[in-house]
Amino acid sequence: ITEQGEMVQAKFGIPVVAQNQLEIYTTAVLLASIKPPSPPREETWRTIMDALGEVSCKAYRSVVFEHPHFISYFRAATPESELGNLNIGSRPARRKVGASVHNLRAIPWIFAWTQTRLILPSWLGVGDALNQLIKEGKKAELQKMYEAWPFFAATIDLIEMILAKADMRIAGLYDDVLVDDPAGKKLGSELRQKFMETVRAICEVTGHHKLLETNPALRRLIEMRNPYIDPINILQVSPDSEITMAPIQLMFHLLCYSSSATTFWQVVS
């Protein structure tokens, strides 16, 4: 079992929390050892997984490594450059000097997108792959895989959880405030559209009418958390931009959001 160095204090710094973490690890190891996950019921399901991986990888790389405006958009829309100045990791944010994504370590890469609530690396390419196979007439087979193959179901459920934690309103706000280049704004809009297409594709495979439909406890936890973290994500936009907001006006906006997300977004729009 490997744990990120940055998480050791959070997960093992308090005895009761450390005990809970060890119970989780022990249970997981015992379950995997005593009753290993079931293999796919149909051998063709492995072929479908290979196809999903190939399409999603191609779609991911077409944006992150091949889109001419992606790097400039990434640096403008996220606090990536500021993260390098924070002493919050065990290693430098970049492996070597340079703007390339190749030089960026995994933690700041994910953390930067988490701050904007786009959480791009966790879902980009998934919607493209699922939608392509659905168009090829494999929707029913994908649904069977979700119902009868624990590995595939766990993968889809994890992606569904990430989608539920993302917020395209906040991601759009970061673009509106921080991105000046029209090409960058266009890319941001396209990515948010891809997000919505991914949500629809996941729901088609799972048969859910909304994200986390069969996990109401987790959905409720996310809903309870959002009024506390959303204002922080929004407040972070101001220091990263040249736009300043009067303190009273800013507090009014945050209070509106804390009491009612709908009211807040009506005010700021």
Side-chain angles (χ1 to χ4, degrees):
I1 298 175
T2 301
E3 187 62 78
Q4 289 287 350
E6 291 80 2
M7 299 303 297
V8 170
Q9 177 63 29
K11 291 188 174 183
F12 300 97
I14 301 175
V16 64
V17 175
Q19 180 178 345
N20 182 62
Q21 289 296 321
L22 291 173
E23 289 176 354
I24 292 173
Y25 293 160
T26 303
T27 301
V29 171
L30 289 174
L31 287 174
S33 301
I34 297 172
K35 187 179 180 181
S38 303
R41 192 174 64 191
E42 306 288 343
E43 192 59 34
T44 55
W45 290 359
R46 294 187 187 274
T47 304
I48 292 176
M49 280 297 292
D50 288 340
L52 287 171
E54 183 178 345
V55 175
S56 62
C57 181
K58 183 178 180 181
Y60 183 96
R61 295 186 67 86
S62 69
V63 174
V64 176
F65 296 104
E66 299 171 10
H67 195 289
H69 301 290
F70 179 78
I71 295 299
S72 58
Y73 168 74
F74 169 57
R75 303 200 74 181
T78 74
E80 176 268 334
S81 58
E82 285 74 19
L83 292 177
N85 299 324
L86 300 178
N87 187 25
I88 59 175
S90 58
R91 293 172 292 181
R94 290 187 173 275
R95 294 180 175 86
K96 56 184 178 180
V97 178
S100 172
V101 174
H102 290 288
N103 298 333
L104 196 65
R105 295 188 187 277
I107 291 177
W109 166 245
I110 297 295
F111 192 40
W113 289 112
T114 302
Q115 299 308 297
T116 73
R117 300 289 287 281
L118 187 59
I119 323 182
L120 185 72
S122 299
W123 58 262
L124 181 61
V126 174
D128 298 81
L130 291 175
N131 282 322
Q132 178 165 318
L133 267 69
I134 290 173
K135 290 178 182 178
E136 294 175 0
K138 294 184 172 64
K139 177 180 175 179
E141 201 66 20
L142 289 169
Q143 291 175 331
K144 289 180 183 177
M145 290 169 62
Y146 180 74
E147 294 172 0
W149 190 10
F151 171 76
F152 183 72
T155 302
I156 295 296
D157 288 345
L158 283 172
I159 296 169
E160 185 181 28
M161 177 192 67
I162 294 296
L163 296 176
K165 291 181 176 180
D167 192 317
M168 294 304 100
R169 300 169 303 169
I170 294 178
L173 177 64
Y174 272 71
D175 283 5
D176 291 342
V177 175
L178 302 176
V179 180
D180 297 323
D181 183 15
K185 287 185 177 293
K186 181 174 182 292
L187 174 58
S189 178
E190 291 172 352
L191 293 175
R192 293 193 296 277
Q193 180 59 36
K194 279 184 175 290
F195 174 89
M196 299 310 299
E197 292 171 357
T198 303
V199 171
R200 286 192 289 269
I202 289 291
C203 287
E204 281 200 62
V205 172
T206 61
H208 299 165
H209 295 93
K210 59 183 178 181
L211 295 174
L212 299 179
E213 184 176 285
T214 57
N215 194 344
L218 178 56
R219 187 175 71 249
R220 180 59 179 156
L221 285 173
I222 293 174
E223 291 172 350
M224 292 174 61
R225 182 194 68 164
N226 285 344
Y228 297 94
I229 67 169
D230 288 357
I232 298 174
N233 289 128
I234 295 168
L235 183 62
Q236 185 172 249
V237 177
S238 184
D240 283 348
S241 69
E242 297 178 355
I243 300 176
T244 57
M245 185 182 296
I248 294 178
Q249 183 184 8
L250 178 59
M251 287 303 298
F252 174 71
H253 287 179
L254 295 179
L255 287 172
C256 285
Y257 191 91
S258 297
S259 60
S260 169
T262 301
T263 302
F264 176 82
W265 286 105
Q266 289 174 344
V267 170
V268 298
S269 61

